[in-house]
């Protein structure tokens, strides 16, 4: 039984609905049939009672004059034709005398004249007692106690003189064909209703179940950590299910944001850790490096060295200088104070990069909305712009387009750089702002690291989005009052 | 107002026309009583017979149907009837008030018999004596074949008719006795052989539901009688009409419908046997 309740709503709703419809139409059909049966019985009893009164009235003079034949004719008159055609027609009619002997019967072969009523069978014996128990009644007595027959006993009496009793016998068998007819009709209309309602119910059930099933699947996916937002299935109505869908959507959205935030935090922390590590290493390297360079300088200034030594020293100095350059490139020092960023700086950068762009047949589109200088170090910002634009030019296809926008609003500087061209692969995207990660073979992979370090140290944010052949970097920097 | 006057005028004219037509009815119609001594519910042939009489007699003829012989006898003695077709027993019984007009001829002779019948389902009864303590249907207390003859048969067998049967009743016609026996209402009955045979032609389902157990002796056929006060002219004219039917093509057809060969002038001699039976039963 539990199996039934464990079924999917896809089956459960149509099944229960169908069951309900079947039970309802069955109940209605049965009620109709029962009503028809009752009506038929009432009809029969009423008409039978009327017939009894008329026959009893006609029989009285015939019996008074001991006219057996006439009595026989009277009770046989209503029995013409086949009883099955007319359920109201009695099966048999008896006339009893005062001693409850059969005076005459419509079927003398079955119930002969002068037969004693109580000896004719169990039903008749009970009927005899019933008649004897109510000798004074004028109205017909009806006996239903037999399952096969209904007996209606009417006194044959005038002005208090009772000559006998008229008994009309109806067979229940006669009801059956009529009853079957009604039953068939009810059953047919029931089937018709079912034929219309069941497919409707099935359709409705599926409609009801489909969003529930989708929702259940979605929740199961979420529990497995698969968050797909926005959800593929929507529900357009504002009922409880609609509210559920809405809440589910909100939940998905919150989960999605939380996940993105977590990813972002993890990345920031990683970048910060890398930054701290690299800064630490850079400082540790820089201190002895400085000493070594000073010592080399002193060594050279002393003079009197042979050619071979000087050559070796020069080689060591070049190597140490390369180390210092690399280390200082990693160690971004944003605390350098200088002049403020002005609109001119972007134009300068554009000028500087024109040659490179021209070489690659890339068109640059600059949208410079900066009016007044903003309180950001111009040197660092130029480096940021330079790095982003250079990356964009390199990533562009030939004859591609690079767009750069810079605007200042709400105490925030916003820089957008976008280019059409190769999409950044996902694995690169994850470690995009880490040092020595490069999109191509030409760069050393420090450009974006430096950019990230500058932006972070200035308290800003940098994000990258890449997809559908478009790569876009956005930089947001909080700006104090220009000095 | 004009309309009212018109109505009054019309009414007066109608009244005059009605009173004028009255004296045209010069002669009183002949009234003939019919009883169930023959199958008197063959309404179509009876109407044809009446019209035949009217044409032959140039006179209106009325048939008066009564179920019980005694009613017809009463009407005769009250002069409400001129002629009547009754049973031989009432003829003998009321001989002094009646004149014998004609006797039907059946199977070539003016005689008929009584059949003792039982339901066809009763295959064991072979004589009246076996119907002791059974229900028996008689035709009419003034019927010979349907009452007198079976009682005489019992009398001859040494039984007392009054107490022999458990119950008896009168069905008031041979045909109904047949029906009573056929339906099983009565275990036995007595009918005229003429009625039984006639019905076996037209209503064989009725006669085939019965079985003839025994046949009585011959009796003079149920006669057509006149009240004793009927005029000789009427008597003679009527007798000629009946006797002439057998030679008349139309009359022959009617006789065929009535299952008769013809009529002969009534001879009281043929009814002597009924008188003997009557006397024997009464004498007891």
């Amino acid at each position: 039984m539990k199996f039934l309740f464990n079924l999917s709503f896809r089956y459960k709703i149509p099944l229960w609905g169908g069951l309900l419809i079947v039970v309802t139409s069955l109940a209605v059909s049965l009620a109709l049939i029962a009503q028809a049966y009752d009506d038929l019985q009432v009809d029969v009893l009423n008409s039978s009672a009327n017939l009894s009164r008329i026959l009893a009235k006609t029989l009285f003079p015939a019996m008074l004059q001991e006219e057996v034949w006439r009595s026989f004719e009277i009770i046989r008159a209503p029995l013409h034709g086949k009883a099955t055609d007319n359920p109201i027609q009695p099966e048999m009619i008896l006339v009893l005398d005062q001693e409850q002997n059969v005076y005459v019967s419509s079927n003398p072969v079955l119930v002969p004249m002068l037969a004693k009523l109580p000896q004719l069978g169990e039903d008749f014996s009970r009927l005899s007692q019933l008649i004897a128990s109510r000798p004074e009644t004028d109205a017909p007595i009806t006996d239903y106690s037999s399952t096969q027959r209904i007996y209606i006993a009417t006194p044959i009496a005038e002005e208090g003189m009772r000559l006998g009793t008229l008994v009309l016998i109806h067979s229940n068998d006669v009801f059956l064909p009529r009853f079957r007819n009604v039953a068939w009709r009810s059953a047919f209309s029931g089937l018709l209703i079912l034929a219309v309602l069941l497919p409707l119910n099935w359709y409705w059930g599926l409609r009801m179940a489909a969003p529930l099933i989708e929702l259940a699947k979605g929740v199961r996916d979420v529990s497995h950590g698969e968050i797909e937002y926005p959800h593929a299935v929507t529900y357009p109505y504002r009922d409880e299910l609609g509210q559920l869908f809405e809440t589910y959507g909100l939940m998905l959205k919150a989960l999605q944001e939380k996940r993105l935030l977590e990813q972002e935090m993890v990345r920031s922390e990683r970048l910060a850790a890398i930054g701290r590590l690299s800064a630490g290493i850079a400082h540790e390297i820089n201190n002895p490096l400085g000493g070594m360079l000073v010592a080399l300088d002193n060594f050279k200034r002393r003079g009197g060295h042979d050619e071979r030594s000087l050559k070796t020293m020069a080689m060591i100095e070049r190597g140490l200088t390369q180390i210092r350059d690399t280390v200082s490139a990693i160690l971004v020092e944003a605390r350098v104070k200088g002049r403020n960023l002005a609109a001119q700086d972007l134009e300068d950068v554009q000028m500087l990069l024109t040659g490179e762009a021209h070489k690659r047949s890339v068109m640059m589109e600059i949208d410079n909305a900066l009016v007044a200088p903003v309180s950001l170090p111009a040197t660092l910002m130029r480096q940021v712009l330079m790095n982003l634009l250079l990356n964009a030019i390199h990533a562009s296809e030939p004859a591609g387009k690079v767009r750069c926008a810079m605007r200042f609003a709400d105490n925030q500087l916003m820089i957008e750089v976008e280019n059409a061209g190769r999409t950044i692969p996902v694995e690169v995207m994850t470690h995009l702002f880490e040092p020595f990660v490069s999109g191509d073979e030409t760069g050393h992979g420090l450009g974006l690291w430096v950019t990230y370090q500058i932006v972070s140290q200035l308290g800003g944010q940098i994000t990258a989005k890449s997809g559908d052949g478009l790569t876009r970097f956005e930089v947001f920097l909080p700006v104090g009052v220009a000095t | 107002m004009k309309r009212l006057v018109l109505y009054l005028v019309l009414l007066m004219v109608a009244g005059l026309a009605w009173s004028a037509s009255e004296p045209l009815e010069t002669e009183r119609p002949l009234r003939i009583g019919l009883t169930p001594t023959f199958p008197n519910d063959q309404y179509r042939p009876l109407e044809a017979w009446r019209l035949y009489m009217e044409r032959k007699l140039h006179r209106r003829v009325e048939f008066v149907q009564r179920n019980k012989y005694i009613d017809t006898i009463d009407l005769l003695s009250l002069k409400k009837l001129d002629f009547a077709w009754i049973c031989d027993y009432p003829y003998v019984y009321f001989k002094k008030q009646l004149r014998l007009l004609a006797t039907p001829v059946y199977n070539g002779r003016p005689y008929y018999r009584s059949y003792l019948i039982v339901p066809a389902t009763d295959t064991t009864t072979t004589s009246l004596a076996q119907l002791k303590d059974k229900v028996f249907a008689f035709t009419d207390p003034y019927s010979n074949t349907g009452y007198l003859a079976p009682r005489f048969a019992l009398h001859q067998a040494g039984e007392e008719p009054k107490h022999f049967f458990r119950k008896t009743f009168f069905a008031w016609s041979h045909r109904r006795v047949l029906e009573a026996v056929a339906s099983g209402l009565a275990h036995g009955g007595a009918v005229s052989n003429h009625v039984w045979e006639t019905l076996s032609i037209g209503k064989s389902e009725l006669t085939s539901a019965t079985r003839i157990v025994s046949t009585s002796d011959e009796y003079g056929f149920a006669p057509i009688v006149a009240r004793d006060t009927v005029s000789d002219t009427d008597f003679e004219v009527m007798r000629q009409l009946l006797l002439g039917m057998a030679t008349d093509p139309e009359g022959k057809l009617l006789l065929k419908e009535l299952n008769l060969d013809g009529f002969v002038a009534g001879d009281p001699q043929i009814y002597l046997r009924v008188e003997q039976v009557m006397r024997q039963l009464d004498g007891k």
Side-chain angles (χ1 to χ4, degrees):
Chain A
M1 195 62 201
K2 204 177 172 194
F3 154 78
L4 271 178
F5 291 96
N6 284 342
L7 274 177
S8 160
F9 270 123
R10 199 198 311 260
Y11 310 111
K12 212 195 279 188
I13 295 177
L15 274 181
W16 282 117
L19 192 72
L20 213 65
I21 289 168
V22 169
V23 166
T24 308
S25 28
L26 212 67
V28 169
S29 295
L30 283 178
L32 282 176
I33 291 169
Q35 179 67 44
Y37 189 80
D38 282 354
D39 287 353
L40 192 63
Q41 209 169 44
V42 168
D43 279 359
V44 168
L45 291 182
N46 282 343
S47 71
S48 209
N50 284 337
L51 181 66
S52 297
R53 281 192 203 97
I54 295 164
L55 288 182
K57 205 144 188 78
T58 336
L59 277 167
F60 184 84
M63 284 182 82
L64 197 66
Q65 293 166 31
E66 294 180 53
E67 288 277 12
V68 174
W69 176 258
R70 185 147 169 67
S71 306
F72 183 60
E73 277 186 326
I74 289 167
I75 60 169
R76 271 213 314 188
L79 301 185
H80 282 304
K82 272 178 76 179
T84 42
D85 302 337
N86 176 13
I88 281 163
Q89 181 173 317
E91 184 186 52
M92 189 159 57
I93 301 179
L94 303 182
V95 178
L96 307 175
D97 64 15
Q98 286 158 329
E99 279 78 45
Q100 297 204 6
N101 299 324
V102 176
Y103 182 74
V104 72
S105 88
S106 66
N107 189 342
V109 177
L110 218 63
V111 180
M113 279 169 78
L114 304 173
K116 293 195 185 313
L117 185 69
Q119 292 167 8
L120 287 173
E122 200 185 314
D123 283 0
F124 288 108
S125 158
R126 191 174 49 236
L127 181 69
S128 163
Q129 284 166 16
L130 198 66
I131 295 168
S133 68
R134 288 150 83 177
E136 74 294 338
T137 4
D138 276 358
I141 306 167
T142 310
D143 177 19
Y144 295 102
S145 43
S146 161
T147 48
Q148 270 117 43
R149 293 189 167 75
I150 300 170
Y151 298 89
I152 296 159
T154 313
I156 301 170
E158 291 279 345
E159 315 232 344
M161 179 177 178
R162 180 163 179 169
L163 297 182
T165 311
L166 172 74
V167 181
L168 263 62
I169 302 167
H170 286 276
S171 167
N172 275 339
D173 294 348
V174 193
F175 295 136
L176 272 180
R178 172 87 67 105
F179 178 65
R180 211 176 286 136
N181 198 11
V182 174
W184 267 118
R185 248 180 311 172
S186 307
F188 181 73
S189 41
L191 282 177
L192 215 68
I193 290 168
L194 287 186
V196 174
L197 286 189
L198 281 182
L200 263 179
N201 167 64
W202 189 260
Y203 171 73
W204 172 79
L206 287 185
R207 250 188 88 106
M208 278 294 289
L212 277 175
I213 289 162
E214 277 304 321
L215 204 59
K217 187 176 165 291
V219 171
R220 198 165 54 236
D221 286 352
V222 167
S223 75
H224 292 159
E226 296 163 30
I227 296 164
E228 184 203 340
Y229 179 83
H231 195 52
V233 178
T234 51
Y235 186 82
Y237 308 110
R238 291 290 305 152
D239 54 14
E240 282 76 6
L241 205 55
Q243 291 165 25
L244 202 59
F245 260 86
E246 197 187 352
T247 315
Y248 173 66
L250 288 176
M251 184 190 83
L252 273 186
K253 195 178 171 198
L255 282 175
Q256 172 88 343
E257 280 170 357
K258 183 167 164 264
R259 194 173 60 170
L260 287 178
L261 201 65
E262 276 170 4
Q263 283 174 353
E264 188 59 42
M265 269 173 69
V266 167
R267 203 170 52 193
S268 304
E269 274 173 17
R270 191 169 65 227
L271 285 171
I274 294 169
R276 279 196 303 277
L277 181 67
S278 49
I281 293 171
H283 276 293
E284 289 306 314
I285 293 172
N286 265 351
N287 289 341
L289 199 64
M292 274 190 272
L293 282 169
V294 169
L296 266 179
D297 204 34
N298 289 340
F299 180 77
K300 276 196 296 187
R301 212 175 291 163
R302 263 199 315 268
H305 307 298
D306 58 47
E307 189 70 18
R308 206 171 154 193
S309 300
L310 280 173
K311 210 173 171 180
T312 307
M313 286 306 143
M315 198 182 74
I316 292 170
E317 194 175 17
R318 284 200 302 276
L320 288 175
T321 311
Q322 191 189 347
I323 293 172
R324 190 188 59 191
D325 287 351
T326 307
V327 168
S328 63
I330 296 170
L331 189 69
V332 180
E333 272 300 342
R335 281 182 292 276
V336 185
K337 269 287 164 196
R339 65 177 178 82
N340 286 333
L341 176 73
Q344 190 62 40
D345 290 307
L346 182 56
E347 284 161 28
D348 288 353
V349 171
Q350 186 187 1
M351 189 75 83
L352 287 169
L353 290 172
T354 309
E356 187 70 21
H358 192 69
K359 206 166 73 188
R360 293 182 166 259
S361 334
V362 172
M363 212 177 87
M364 272 202 291
E365 191 186 299
I366 306 296
D367 173 15
N368 190 355
L370 209 62
V371 202
V374 290
S375 173
L376 285 168
T379 324
L380 293 174
M381 287 316 294
R382 282 168 77 114
Q383 205 179 341
V384 166
L385 284 167
M386 193 85 129
N387 280 339
L388 290 177
L389 276 168
L390 206 58
N391 277 352
I393 289 165
H394 286 162
S396 278
E397 302 288 325
K401 197 166 156 187
V402 169
R403 206 176 67 82
C404 174
M406 184 158 79
R407 56 177 55 84
F408 174 71
D410 297 334
N411 290 335
Q412 185 169 266
L413 182 78
M414 192 191 75
I415 300 168
E416 282 176 15
V417 176
E418 65 179 32
N419 71 282
R422 283 174 291 124
T423 308
I424 303 172
V426 182
E427 62 272 15
V428 176
M429 201 72 176
T430 331
H431 303 281
L432 194 64
F433 296 111
E434 290 171 23
F436 309 111
V437 173
S438 177
D440 54 30
E441 295 75 32
T442 53
H444 49 58
L446 280 174
L448 280 176
W449 158 256
V450 170
T451 307
Y452 182 85
Q453 291 298 319
I454 293 169
V455 172
S456 302
Q457 286 177 30
L458 291 175
Q461 272 188 335
I462 178 163
T463 57
K465 278 179 198 157
S466 186
D468 296 332
L470 196 75
T471 304
R472 175 193 180 97
F473 283 84
E474 285 180 349
V475 178
F476 295 94
L477 285 162
V479 181
V481 184
T483 50
Chain B
M1 195 62 200
K2 265 186 186 172
R3 205 170 266 186
L4 189 68
V5 171
L6 189 69
Y7 281 139
L8 284 172
V9 169
L10 275 173
L11 273 173
M12 281 164 70
V13 170
L16 277 172
W18 181 76
S19 52
S21 71
E22 188 74 335
L24 288 179
E25 194 68 29
T26 46
E27 263 183 315
R28 195 177 56 76
L30 271 180
R31 290 170 61 90
I32 302 168
L34 299 181
T35 60
T37 191
F38 72 105
N40 63 342
D41 50 1
Q42 301 167 289
Y43 303 109
R44 197 184 43 79
L46 283 182
E47 181 61 9
W49 197 20
R50 189 184 69 80
L51 293 171
Y52 173 82
M53 287 182 179
E54 281 193 342
R55 270 199 308 281
K56 293 277 176 185
L57 301 174
H58 308 290
R59 190 169 170 184
R60 270 177 58 205
V61 175
E62 285 174 6
F63 280 176
V64 179
Q65 296 253 18
R66 288 294 181 272
N67 266 347
K68 300 179 182 175
Y69 291 129
I70 191 70
D71 291 348
T72 306
I73 304 289
D74 284 348
L75 289 176
L76 278 170
S77 52
L78 289 169
K79 297 181 185 156
K80 299 277 184 194
L81 294 176
D82 303 303
F83 306 100
W85 189 354
I86 57 171
C87 190
D88 46 344
Y89 177 34
Y91 158 66
V92 173
Y93 202 93
F94 298 101
K95 208 153 71 174
K96 283 171 192 158
Q97 307 166 32
L98 304 168
R99 288 171 72 186
L100 185 57
L101 180 74
T103 305
V105 181
Y106 176 57
N107 286 340
R109 290 165 52 76
Y111 292 97
Y112 71 160
R113 295 163 190 270
S114 168
Y115 278 168
L116 172 66
I117 55 169
V118 291
T121 49
D122 173 0
T123 52
T124 50
T125 305
T126 51
S127 73
L128 187 57
Q130 283 171 284
L131 290 176
K132 187 164 174 65
D133 285 334
K134 295 285 174 75
V135 177
F136 198 86
F138 290 124
T139 310
D140 190 294
Y142 284 102
S143 169
N144 176 15
T145 50
Y147 184 60
L148 195 68
R151 278 169 74 230
F152 182 62
L154 278 179
H155 173 74
Q156 280 183 316
E159 295 284 353
E160 168 57 57
K162 235 177 198 169
H163 306 296
F164 180 73
F165 297 114
R166 185 159 176 224
K167 185 176 175 76
T168 60
F169 62 88
F170 294 108
W172 305 109
S173 91
H174 294 282
R175 189 211 165 110
R176 288 184 199 137
V177 168
L178 247 167
E179 279 181 42
V181 174
S183 67
L185 182 67
H187 301 118
V191 293
S192 117
N193 70 333
H194 171 245
V195 173
W196 199 94
E197 301 293 350
T198 306
L199 289 177
S200 76
I201 300 164
K203 301 258 182 194
S204 57
E205 73 277 1
L206 201 59
T207 48
S208 62
T210 61
R211 183 171 65 85
I212 301 162
V213 172
S214 62
T215 311
S216 73
D217 292 332
E218 276 188 337
Y219 295 95
F221 206 104
I224 298 182
V225 297
R227 61 178 158 88
D228 54 353
T229 48
V230 83
S231 75
D232 286 347
T233 335
D234 284 351
F235 187 86
E236 210 46 49
V237 163
M238 195 64 196
R239 177 176 267 179
Q240 288 315 313
L241 183 142
L242 290 174
L243 299 189
M245 276 178 76
T247 53
D248 177 62
E250 204 184 342
K252 258 186 180 163
L253 275 176
L254 286 168
L255 285 171
K256 192 172 167 5
E257 299 262 24
L258 294 168
N259 197 25
L260 291 174
D261 300 328
F263 289 95
V264 291
D267 175 8
Q269 289 301 310
I270 63 170
Y271 299 105
L272 283 177
R273 194 179 150 68
V274 183
E275 214 169 324
Q276 286 166 10
V277 168
M278 217 170 82
R279 223 174 280 135
Q280 281 200 39
L281 275 175
D282 285 348
K284 187 141 186 177

